[in-house]
Amino acid sequence: MNTIPTDIKTLVVKIGTSLLTGAQGFDGRTMEAVGQELAELKRTRGLNVLIVSSGAIGCGMDVLGMKERPRLLPIKQAVAAVGQSRLMHYYETLLRTYGHGIKTAQILLSAADLDSRQGYLNVRNTTKALFEMDGVIPVVNENDSVAIEELRFGDNDTLAAKVAAKIDADLLIILCDVDGLYDRNPARHKDAQPIPHVAQVTEEIEALADDTVTETTVGGMKTKLAAAKIACATGLTMVIANGRRPGIVNDVLAGRGPMTVFGRKPGPMPHRKRWIAFGRTTQGTVQVDDGARKALVDGGKSLLAAGITDIQGSFGVGAAVRIVDAARKKIARGLVNYSSEDLLRIKGHRSHEIQSILGRKDFDEVVHRDNLVIL
């Protein structure tokens, strides 16, 4: 059975859009209740607390009197720009009030900020420095006002998991409008049963999730399960819980009340591997045969050209790529030693043949095991 860590020093809490939206638009009651809890934890227990908050577009819609979520990217960016200042004003006011002077810091991120190793480390170092300052709670959001679709995290669940992994958090709490993961959609099935513990996010577990369908939210339970995969792979405990329950954060920390706790791998993933697995934006896909899949997953081997059956996308040397098996199931991510153009020529060939095909052989491996992460 999975349990909540008892020696928590760094806590990340994600507050979803569904908790910040009511019948009349933006609704700050949940933000106020959760913010009060977090400010108290920061003040009395000295925890490193980081908030990942949705709601910029929802706040902007409220300010502008919009009833439907915009679909065109420039309009979404503009609405987010309007809403972001109001969202941060709310956080600054409530944390200062309930935390007796606790200060806020805003961190806006796009996926591009994590693409380079240096950028990845800069975000981590900035957050660590904020934790070392007296009485500061950082609030993180995706930079919706400038991020283009190709460089988006896609949802704040994924953003929360990546940030939590990056800063060595001990616990990630994703707050939404349900008590956790159910064996079926509770909105459609009254007899749905909550699942208190998930040891591993399998295909069967993923099949239980239904996407949220509202005008002001992005994602749903599927994105939360994707976040759980990231969190658990890096050795981080993650919880899904209902943010509308009074005292929910303290209840989670005490291990009481309804929630779903996701298991974690026994050893933390090295930070460079985390960057390869979850930091960089993938530029293409490399498909491998069954023999290569076994060598990678079971044998801990490097990826060789002989095991590659197909290449998709255009990418250069050093790019991050997805590695999929014969059924196109994603099994790994890695940094390639050859461009997509070269891989199309050498796929299926032995390493000793690369020289004669390309006129050079830079590496025996297409992806060295040190630059490879099994998912």
Side-chain angles (χ1 to χ4, degrees), residues 287-298 307 309 324-327 331:
Q287 187 171 9
V288 301
D289 59 25
D290 291 340
R293 183 191 190 284
K294 182 175 179 60
L296 296 177
V297 176
D298 299 331
T309 59
V324 301
D325 61 17
I331 59 173

Side-chain angles (χ1 to χ4, degrees), residues 273 288 290-305 307 323 331-335 337 364-374:
K273 293 272 189 174
V288 301
D290 291 340
R293 183 191 190 284
K294 182 175 179 60
L296 296 177
V297 176
D298 299 331
K301 303 295 185 180
S302 300
L303 175 61
L304 304 180
I323 300 173
I331 59 173
R333 286 180 60 160
L335 308 182
N337 290 328
D364 285 331
E365 310 89 1
V366 171
V367 179
H368 193 278
R369 63 184 179 185
D370 291 343
N371 295 325
L372 181 75
V373 180
I374 302 300

